[in-house]
Structure formats: C-alpha cells, structure tokens
Amino acid sequence: STEQDFEIIILDDGSTDDTFRTAMELRAEDDRIRVISREEKGFAFTFNELLDAARGDYVLNVDPDDWIEPTMIETMLNKMDDNTDFVKCGFWFEYEDGNIEYLYDAPYDEFCPRYLPPDKKMFFFVSQVAMWTCLVRRSFIEKHHIRLNETEGAAYQDTGFIWQINTLAEKVKVVNKPLYHYNKTNVNASTASSRYPMAPSVEYNRIAKWLVDNPEYGIQVRPVLCRARFGSYMWNMSRIDKKDRLSFAVQTQYDFNDDWNYIDVRMFSNPEYTAFRVGMQSPEDFVRMFDVGVEDEQ
C-alpha cells in the first residue's frame, strides 16, 4: 500500500485450513497486523467484533477473497476532510474469464445521500450498496451505534449497515474510479448460496423498523427502501431453491403490502411496478410469473 499508517486486523472465524498459521506468520513480519482467533460465529458476529477491536480513525472492510489497489487507502484518505462521514469508490467484478470494470459514476463529488433527488437517491441507495467500497469514519459509526444484524448466514447482513450509514451521513465524498477487486469466482460466497431464503425479509424489515423509529430520516428514504426491497426480493427468488419460492412469495406479499403507503412509482419501470403489484396480490402468481420469466430466458 502507498499509505503506511494503518492497522490490519485478521479475525480467524473458526477456519479449518491454514488461515491462522498464515496470519501468524504475517504478524511476525509486520507489527501493524493483529490476529484474533476463536470458534466460528459467522460473518455479522465477526464484523461487529472487528469494529469493537478497531483503534484507527477510519474503517475499511476487505473480504478475505478480495483484494484492493495499492493506492486505495491513500486515495480515499486524501478525499476525507473533517466533515466527511465516509468516502466511497468504484470497483471491479473479477470473473474467471477476465475482469469487468464497473466505475462508480456517482451523481456528485460530495453530497448528503438522503437529500439527493429521487433518481440519484435510487442509484446511490439501490445500485451501489457495497460495504467494501466505503472508508468510514469510526467515530461516526460509534456515535450512531451502527452494527450488523447478527443473524444466521452471511447473505444480506451488511445491507442494514449500509442503509444506516447512507441515511445518517451528512456528507459523503466519492472517488470516481475503481480501487476494489470483488471476486466473483468464489462458488462458496454467501451471494451464491441458496441457504436462508428469508434473509432479505429479515434484513429489510429491520431497516424499515429502524426508519419507523427514526421518522426524521424515514420520510426522506422510505420510498427508496421500497424499491430496494423489490430488487433484492426479485434477485433472491433466483438465488433460493425452487421449493422455497412459494413460502418466500407469501412473505413477499406481506412485506410489499406493508410498503404500499410509501411507494414512489417513479422509481419503478412499468414491468417492475406490475411485478410489485403481483407480489402484493398473489404469492402463487408471483412465483408463476418468476418461473415463466426464468424459463423464457433459458
């Protein structure tokens, strides 16, 4: 890294390979590295424990199968000022057949997310929700007691964290170039797993409750939460096993009806809005609509 003033905390979450030995070897070579080892507890527990252990002014999460550009930390620190809550950058998706570059292309260089216009707000809250592209001021996290929801599995567990920092931040800055490499070749990643089919409902309902408890923020972002929930639920239908789709669609009906009073149709295309209404009205038709759509694509 071109920035040398940082700490690395490696938490060995009950690994069964050579992770701990490798981490200890790295620690012996670099006193900026700290190693924590314990029995397996899962992603959210691990991330929260890392937040508790952190001593630096800023926090950057790097997943164990990803990597960052050598200039990432320095570039993002150079964007920081005393009034910025976090800095966000672009990223690459790394596939087996090469890499596909995704520039962040944010709406403004600096802004308060909850006061963006509806279309820009949807882009920021819905399209760019990656936690691993954010350098976050640790005092901001601690001031608002932001932590991950410690549920089973790993899918969607960072969604609430991102929604809270997006909603609470007074100023965000953006580095409009990719600095993070996200590994899409890992077949064991949580996003590829069909386990925990109700995970998005648990997480989005938690966010919705948080917004109800904080109405001064909810009035600004609850409509975009409806659109984010819709996109995540549609993607989740493709992730989970076919046998779980009806039970998830039943939960979808309940959740979509709960969102109805907050919906902003400008955030949906006509086909998306039609699908949203189907999800509200009939779980069976929602599953049928999705299955036909998948079959048409094959």
Side-chain angles (χ1 to χ4, degrees):
S1 172
T2 56
E3 170 62 44
Q4 297 298 309
D5 184 15
F6 60 85
E7 65 173 356
I8 298 174
I9 308 174
I10 301 173
L11 199 154
D12 176 26
D13 184 37
S15 66
T16 56
D17 55 15
D18 291 331
T19 296
F20 179 69
R21 180 181 59 80
T22 302
M24 294 300 290
E25 290 174 352
L26 292 170
R27 189 184 73 167
E29 298 174 2
D30 191 332
D31 59 10
R32 294 173 300 180
I33 296 175
R34 297 162 57 199
V35 179
I36 303 171
S37 183
R38 52 150 170 76
E39 72 280 3
E40 183 179 4
K41 290 187 177 181
F43 172 70
F45 290 90
T46 297
F47 188 81
N48 289 341
E49 192 170 340
L50 289 170
L51 286 179
D52 292 338
R55 299 179 298 204
D57 293 331
Y58 307 100
V59 173
L60 173 67
N61 174 64
V62 180
D63 287 351
D65 53 348
D66 299 339
W67 65 100
I68 65 175
E69 288 290 292
T71 58
M72 180 175 182
I73 297 174
E74 179 184 21
T75 302
M76 297 180 82
L77 281 175
N78 286 339
K79 272 279 187 177
M80 273 284 183
D81 61 33
D82 291 342
N83 299 316
T84 298
D85 294 309
F86 68 91
V87 176
K88 195 171 180 68
C89 71
F91 58 92
W92 284 283
F93 277 159
E94 297 283 346
Y95 294 94
E96 290 183 357
D97 58 352
N99 65 338
I100 297 179
E101 182 177 306
Y102 282 79
L103 290 178
Y104 180 62
D105 195 22
Y108 311 105
D109 181 63
E110 61 180 63
F111 50 90
C112 178
R114 65 181 179 274
Y115 290 123
L116 289 172
D119 59 330
K120 302 295 192 297
K121 192 181 296 182
M122 189 178 79
F123 173 84
F124 188 75
F125 278 83
V126 178
S127 303
Q128 299 292 341
V129 294
M131 182 170 66
W132 25 264
T133 62
C134 300
L135 181 74
V136 190
R137 188 180 301 277
R138 191 164 66 87
S139 60
F140 167 70
I141 295 173
E142 297 307 320
K143 174 184 176 181
H144 296 288
H145 311 290
I146 304 172
R147 291 294 187 274
L148 269 64
N149 193 15
E150 294 180 348
T151 51
E152 288 187 289
Y156 292 94
Q157 287 181 330
D158 58 348
T159 304
F161 181 91
I162 286 295
W163 267 83
Q164 288 181 74
I165 68 170
N166 283 349
T167 302
L168 293 166
E170 295 298 331
K171 185 166 78 171
V172 172
K173 287 191 173 183
V174 170
V175 176
N176 261 317
K177 63 181 179 180
L179 298 171
Y180 190 99
H181 297 261
Y182 184 84
N183 181 12
K184 296 285 284 186
T185 66
N186 182 6
V187 296
N188 296 315
S190 62
T191 52
S193 172
S194 62
R195 299 180 66 193
Y196 310 110
M198 297 298 173
S201 177
V202 172
E203 193 66 17
Y204 277 97
N205 285 337
R206 179 186 180 230
I207 300 167
K209 182 182 183 305
W210 179 74
L211 292 176
V212 168
D213 293 340
N214 297 272
E216 69 274 25
Y217 302 117
I219 194 172
Q220 299 294 333
V221 300
R222 185 65 189 265
V224 77
L225 180 67
C226 301
R227 177 58 183 81
R229 188 200 295 268
F230 169 79
S232 290
Y233 281 29
M234 293 295 287
W235 179 81
N236 191 57
M237 286 286 282
S238 68
R239 180 182 74 95
I240 62 178
D241 291 335
K242 194 169 184 178
K243 64 179 176 58
D244 294 321
R245 285 180 182 164
L246 182 57
S247 59
F248 179 69
V250 171
Q251 184 63 44
T252 294
Q253 181 185 43
Y254 178 85
D255 293 345
F256 281 6
N257 275 282
D258 192 48
D259 275 352
W260 177 244
N261 291 329
Y262 305 97
I263 195 169
D264 184 341
V265 296
R266 295 173 297 177
M267 295 183 178
F268 293 76
S269 67
N270 288 335
E272 288 169 346
Y273 184 62
T274 298
F276 183 91
R277 294 299 302 268
V278 171
M280 287 179 59
Q281 295 164 1
S282 169
E284 292 80 10
D285 288 346
F286 189 68
V287 172
R288 191 175 302 113
M289 175 193 67
F290 185 85
D291 288 346
V292 169
V294 170
E295 291 170 2
D296 288 345
E297 291 177 3
Q298 294 177 345

